[in-house]
Amino acid sequence: MARRLILGLAAMLVFVALGCAVAHAASIGALDMQPNGHGGQTYTVPVQLLLLMAGLVFLPAILLTMTSFTRIIIVLSLLRQALGLTQTPPNQVLIGLALFLTMFVMGPVFTKVGSDALQPMLDNKITTEEAVTKAEGPLREFMLKQTRRDDLGLFLKLAGGKTYDNASDVPFSVLVPAFVTSELKTGFQIGFLIFLPFLVIDIVVAAVMMSLGMMLLSPTSVSLPLKLALFVLVNGWTLVIGSLAEGFLR
């Protein structure tokens, strides 16, 4: 299962990256075509290699802006700040956890990309261009489900106010910024809710210490173990991670 998810992730990122590279190359007229023997044309091998290398440049941006990674890493970072910890857990641990949570959340999308696009392409049943088109469908469906209507409407307005009869017709140039904006808003909303109980602890500890005249002792040094104890007692990691996953899967 883990291998299938990794292959699906790689396939989805590569297909979308290839789509971006093809669109960019087409815009500058850099595509070299040749007949394929079936009444159509295909890209020559050098052009395919060029598109693949160009597509790799888009992989980090695609992972950050077109998957659940953005919301997850924002919430985990805000959780660390709410606890009053600056380097624990380390950034490498948070990023690794966010990546594996992203693989878990995006599992159905990766599986569909693998079955509808990757496997048929490997079996030579469809062309690379058709595989790219089929791979975009599940990703677009996921992004539309998580994008707020007002955010999508804003970017449609900024793009010229063009309307679409079907949400699936919205171009990626409009959908991606709307999706990222929605993810940022949702991530900060979740982070605000996480901050509240720890903020109450900080206020109570500071008030008690001031009333006792303990001015030389930092309130942070007293509230930190209390916040850690509260977080452990309520099984905080399970609550946060479970809520994040459910927010995407429901």
Side-chain angles (χ1 to χ4, degrees):
M1 177 62 69
R3 180 183 178 186
R4 187 175 301 174
L5 291 178
I6 294 174
L7 289 176
L9 171 61
M12 186 193 72
L13 295 180
V14 170
F15 285 146
V16 178
L18 281 174
C20 296
V22 169
H24 176 69
S27 65
I28 62 176
L31 296 182
D32 184 16
M33 310 288 289
Q34 67 180 7
N36 62 4
H38 300 283
Q41 290 181 321
T42 59
Y43 303 121
T44 60
V45 174
V47 172
Q48 291 180 6
L49 292 176
L50 176 63
L51 293 177
L52 178 60
M53 297 301 295
L56 294 177
V57 179
F58 294 95
L59 291 182
I62 293 171
L63 177 64
L64 292 175
T65 59
M66 301 174 72
T67 66
S68 59
F69 181 84
T70 299
R71 184 194 304 184
I72 294 173
I73 194 63
I74 287 175
V75 172
L76 293 180
S77 299
L78 291 176
L79 171 62
R80 183 174 64 179
Q81 294 182 24
L83 287 170
L85 304 171
T86 57
Q87 296 296 330
T88 305
N91 291 332
Q92 295 87 341
V93 174
L94 289 184
I95 293 175
L97 178 58
L99 284 173
F100 277 97
L101 281 176
T102 300
M103 291 176 57
F104 175 78
V105 170
M106 303 290 293
V109 179
F110 299 158
T111 302
K112 195 168 184 180
V113 169
S115 60
D116 295 349
L118 178 60
Q119 194 59 47
M121 187 189 68
L122 295 178
D123 295 337
N124 294 322
K125 295 180 179 179
I126 59 175
T127 63
T128 304
E129 293 81 5
E130 293 173 337
V132 170
T133 302
K134 289 181 177 293
E136 288 179 354
L139 182 61
R140 181 188 296 274
E141 182 180 353
F142 169 81
M143 295 172 64
L144 284 172
K145 185 178 179 180
Q146 303 300 327
T147 303
R148 302 169 186 262
R149 289 182 176 271
D150 54 346
D151 293 328
L152 185 58
L154 170 63
F155 283 96
L156 285 172
K157 180 180 178 181
L158 294 176
K162 184 178 179 180
T163 59
Y164 298 89
D165 297 332
N166 195 336
S168 60
D169 297 331
V170 177
F172 268 99
S173 59
V174 175
L175 179 58
V176 171
F179 171 75
V180 174
T181 303
S182 296
E183 289 296 281
L184 290 174
K185 186 182 297 184
T186 304
F188 277 98
Q189 288 176 345
I190 297 174
F192 171 75
L193 296 177
I194 291 176
F195 255 97
L196 286 180
F198 300 115
L199 179 61
V200 171
I201 293 177
D202 287 333
I203 294 175
V204 171
V205 169
V208 171
M209 293 182 65
M210 288 185 63
S211 64
L212 295 177
M214 303 173 64
M215 302 298 182
L216 299 180
L217 183 61
S218 173
T220 305
S221 60
V222 177
S223 63
L224 178 58
L226 294 178
K227 290 189 288 188
L228 289 176
L230 174 64
F231 190 70
V232 172
L233 288 175
V234 300
N235 204 2
W237 285 113
T238 301
L239 290 176
V240 173
I241 293 175
S243 299
L244 279 173
E246 290 178 359
F248 287 104
L249 298 177
R250 63 186 178 186

